[in-house]
Amino acid sequence: AFPSAVEPVEASVMVAMRQGNWPQALAAAREWRKRSESNPLPADMAIANTQLELKQPAAARQQLEPYLAEAKKDPQRLGTVLTLAASAYAADGQPKQAEALLFPLLKKSLDWRQAAGQVALRYVPDEQTAVAWIEQIKAAAPAGSTADDVLLSDLYRGLAARSGNAKYAAQADNYLKTAAQAKDASAATVINYA
């Protein structure tokens, strides 16, 4: 009834993504893009995200390229673009380009450190580079930050699961212990440590 309406195709994209049906999500996202000439960014991000899931990181980067300059100028507003582009660079074996997008923002907030950590665990292909990313996140964290200790525990635990290396699990436990013993430790952190 409404062949140019955006909402139905946007809903189709979201449903297909939740179902993990990436080819269908990509087709629907491309249709969404055709219908979104006045505001293409959400559709372009859906396309890039879907391409990343389909192991097409170069195509995902190209989809986001028109937004990168603006995102670098205004990371507060367009942080998701930077994170998604960094994910695409990392997945495409270009971690230095991903670092250039995220590392300058690590000291700004825990959110940026969390985003970089997720990119490291999910998209940085080799273990040593992922460890180097986590070390950068650690260096950017304010001293005594319980939230960052929890984040570092989570990141090292993820690295242990990904690599099978028990030394990362021990590091995760050490960070969790520090977080659990902090005066501002949450009940969940204390319970997870116990």
Side-chain angles (χ1 to χ4, degrees), residues 110 113-114 144-154 179 182 184 189:
L110 177 63
R113 293 187 291 280
Q114 289 171 328
S145 168
T146 303
D148 281 285
D149 285 338
V150 171
L151 171 62
L152 290 165
S153 175
D154 290 345
D184 63 342
T189 300

Side-chain angles (χ1 to χ4, degrees), residues 57-77:
R61 279 194 346 266
Q62 288 175 342
Q63 197 71 36
L64 297 170
E65 189 65 37
Y67 306 102
L68 279 181
E70 183 69 22
K72 289 176 189 176
K73 289 180 196 169
D74 191 359
Q76 182 75 20
R77 186 173 63 85

